[in-house]
Amino acid sequence: MAGPLKVFVSSTMKDLANERAAVVQELLRLNYEPVNAEGILPTGGGSWAVIADELKDCDIVVLVLGESYGWVPTSGPYADSDQSVTEIEYREAIRLELPVLPFFKRLGYDAPRDTDQAKRRDAFRRQVAAWDTGHFRAEFELALDLAPLVGQSIGRLLAATWREMVELRPAAAPASSSDPAVADTGHHVPVPKPATISGAPLPDDLVQAVADRSAVLFAGAGMSLQAGLPSAYALTQYLLGKINEVDPLYQRGAHGGDFNDVASDLARLIGSIGLSQAVADMMGSEALIEPSIAQQLAVEAFDLVVTTNWDTLLERADRLNRLIVVADETAAVPGSALVKLHGTIDQPTGLVVTAEDLDAHDRRRRHVIEAVRQQMSTRPVIVVGSSLRDPTTIRLFTDRAQAPTGWFVAPLISEVDSIRVRALNLEPLVGTAESFFAALALALGSGPMPGDPNAP
């Protein structure tokens, strides 16, 4: 599987505009791809043909039902069904055997009950929630209440049934080297154009450092998000749901509920082993997600890769099977290795998850951190997909003041960000991980990357 989970948002539109917008924003925060009528571009096809094509490519359907039954087509496809578009979408999702997550807005005391629309609305609700053939549903009052319910429900569904869902999803067709949007550079994966990042060529000293195999890559969560992994926010919402199963009164603190703090609270309720299992359940999808093109290019271009990511996408992209460093007692890091500072999902009990884990990290893994610090103090570092706000990374990069100049790659870089990363001896470069590595591959030439064991 490549790319984020696709979630179809089905509901009436006029009466649920705020709810639809809240769900879409929540899905984006979770790093899932919302598919909603407002965001679908015209293709030249008819309305139902376009909707049906989008629906069949989705993984999950979020169904939101409010006061209105919805518009009933009087001509064209399904005109003879006498059903609203929302009900047609629901029936199509059932036909496609897609998981449907229903959410019912509580009806106000003044909601109509005896009109034809109201009767059909209530009949549709009964059908969706039927004991024998329907679905368990959640109820809400405000759009603000709906958004977190959607996030937690998707998290539970993924943790329970991800493997079955992804195995049923058709594999994406590989990119063709004859496609004009793809440039065959001689690497082992096709590289998207262009050869520049944000319209400007890469700095010559950056390209030279990578060509010399002297640069270190610091890979952050952004690279895994691009491959399709759920966001840290999604994981936080899932852990919140696990807490609420035991303690329904639990709420996130005024600070918003940082992931590590929420994880600490869950561990207090179900123990550290239970927490590790919850994280492993939610992260189970990563074994079925394909490494992105950026990750494949990254492990070809850099000998030493350092990451705080738990997932195994980088090592699965690595044809060289280089040494993976996660042990606390490691006293040295070789020039060619994959260093996982916060552990790996392969060993969930050793992950840096709770606030206490984070606080003790420098003591528990001081040898690994010191070895990485030594490498980064003498070599150029390129940061991709990291905000550099994690305490571990802040300490690592703070000690690089006198090290060779490095670079910080991010899609959006504010003036404050520029000041902050330059203080860490990093030059900001605006661009996505994919565009950066595509530009890097092309800048290095059309042959195999330097150091490629298959190079002639």
Side-chain angles (χ1 to χ4, degrees):
M1 171 185 166
L5 190 83
K6 298 183 70 173
V7 182
F8 190 91
V9 182
S10 177
S11 78
T12 52
M13 298 182 68
K14 185 175 181 180
D15 61 322
L16 295 174
N18 291 336
E19 286 78 2
R20 291 174 67 87
V23 170
V24 167
Q25 289 303 310
E26 184 76 359
L27 293 173
L28 292 172
R29 293 181 70 186
L30 297 165
N31 198 41
Y32 305 142
E33 180 180 341
V35 179
N36 59 314
E38 301 93 325
I40 297 175
L41 297 175
T43 63
S47 296
W48 174 246
V50 172
I51 291 172
D53 282 345
E54 292 285 350
L55 188 55
K56 72 181 180 182
D57 289 334
C58 289
D59 302 287
I60 297 173
V61 173
V62 170
L63 176 67
V64 186
L65 300 183
E67 184 176 307
S68 173
Y69 174 64
W71 179 68
V72 177
T74 57
S75 62
Y78 289 95
D80 57 350
S81 71
D82 199 31
Q83 297 169 358
S84 71
V85 172
T86 304
E87 183 167 353
I88 294 169
E89 291 172 346
Y90 170 72
R91 290 181 178 275
E92 180 67 6
I94 297 301
R95 188 188 71 80
L96 294 170
E97 299 183 343
L98 296 175
V100 177
L101 303 179
F103 299 88
F104 290 5
K105 185 170 185 175
R106 296 189 184 97
L107 300 178
Y109 71 90
D110 57 345
R113 309 286 177 175
D114 298 326
T115 65
D116 178 64
Q117 272 270 325
K119 291 177 181 178
R120 300 178 78 176
R121 171 201 68 204
D122 294 343
F124 183 32
R125 284 184 168 221
R126 287 193 296 272
Q127 177 190 88
V128 171
W131 176 267
D132 52 347
T133 59
H135 310 268
F136 190 85
R137 88 286 186 189
E139 295 186 348
F140 69 96
E141 291 187 3
L142 303 174
L144 186 66
D145 304 323
L146 173 62
L149 290 177
V150 169
Q152 291 181 19
S153 296
I154 293 177
R156 292 185 185 187
L157 175 65
L158 296 187
T161 64
W162 183 284
R163 180 172 296 276
E164 179 182 355
M165 288 169 53
V166 175
E167 287 175 350
L168 292 173
R169 182 178 182 176
S176 168
S177 60
S178 61
D179 188 332
V182 174
D184 184 359
T185 64
H187 298 277
H188 300 277
V189 291
V191 181
K193 292 179 178 178
T196 59
I197 179 171
S198 297
L202 293 176
D204 291 341
D205 45 352
L206 182 156
V207 175
Q208 189 60 53
V210 177
D212 293 343
R213 314 298 290 190
S214 62
V216 177
L217 173 65
F218 191 94
M223 291 189 65
S224 295
L225 290 175
Q226 194 171 51
L229 276 187
S231 66
Y233 175 77
L235 186 52
T236 303
Q237 290 297 91
Y238 176 68
L239 297 187
L240 281 168
K242 299 292 287 185
I243 292 177
N244 288 143
E245 290 176 7
V246 181
D247 181 2
L249 299 179
Y250 179 86
Q251 295 182 353
R252 299 166 77 170
H255 53 78
D258 178 81
F259 166 75
N260 303 108
D261 294 327
V262 172
S264 295
D265 288 341
L266 180 58
R268 293 183 180 101
L269 283 176
I270 64 175
S272 58
I273 294 178
L275 170 64
S276 296
Q277 185 59 55
V279 172
D281 287 344
M282 184 60 179
M283 290 287 293
S285 62
E286 71 91 25
L288 301 169
I289 292 175
E290 293 298 322
S292 67
I293 290 176
Q295 289 167 320
Q296 295 175 64
L297 292 172
V299 293
E300 288 189 4
F302 293 85
D303 290 333
L304 180 59
V305 179
V306 181
T307 184
T308 54
N309 297 350
W310 299 334
D311 61 80
T312 63
L313 292 172
L314 284 168
E315 46 263 55
R316 287 195 281 119
D318 182 15
R319 298 176 303 102
L320 302 182
N321 296 316
R322 70 198 73 193
L323 178 67
I324 299 173
V325 178
V326 293
D328 297 350
E329 65 272 12
T330 300
V333 170
S336 179
L338 172 59
V339 183
K340 308 191 75 172
L341 293 174
H342 285 179
T344 179
I345 196 62
D346 289 346
Q347 304 167 30
T349 57
L351 296 175
V352 176
V353 182
T354 67
E356 292 77 12
D357 292 338
L358 201 59
D359 184 61
H361 184 250
D362 280 4
R363 298 190 301 275
R364 288 177 52 203
R365 296 182 174 164
R366 62 185 183 278
H367 298 304
V368 173
I369 294 171
E370 180 56 33
V372 170
R373 182 181 286 113
Q374 291 176 8
Q375 291 277 7
M376 289 174 53
S377 66
T378 59
R379 301 168 64 173
V381 178
I382 302 174
V383 179
V384 182
S386 173
S387 65
L388 294 184
R389 293 188 181 277
D390 169 81
T392 302
T393 60
I394 290 174
R395 285 188 283 270
L396 278 176
F397 281 86
T398 300
D399 291 343
R400 286 196 74 257
Q402 304 304 316
T405 299
W407 294 268
F408 174 86
V409 180
L412 296 172
I413 301 179
S414 68
E415 184 176 352
V416 172
D417 289 330
S418 295
I419 295 171
R420 183 170 60 87
V421 299
R422 284 193 170 104
L424 302 176
N425 203 17
L426 300 170
E427 286 298 316
L429 293 175
V430 176
T432 64
E434 187 176 48
S435 66
F436 169 74
F437 284 106
L440 180 61
L442 293 177
L444 290 169
S446 60
M449 287 224 176
D452 188 332
N454 296 322

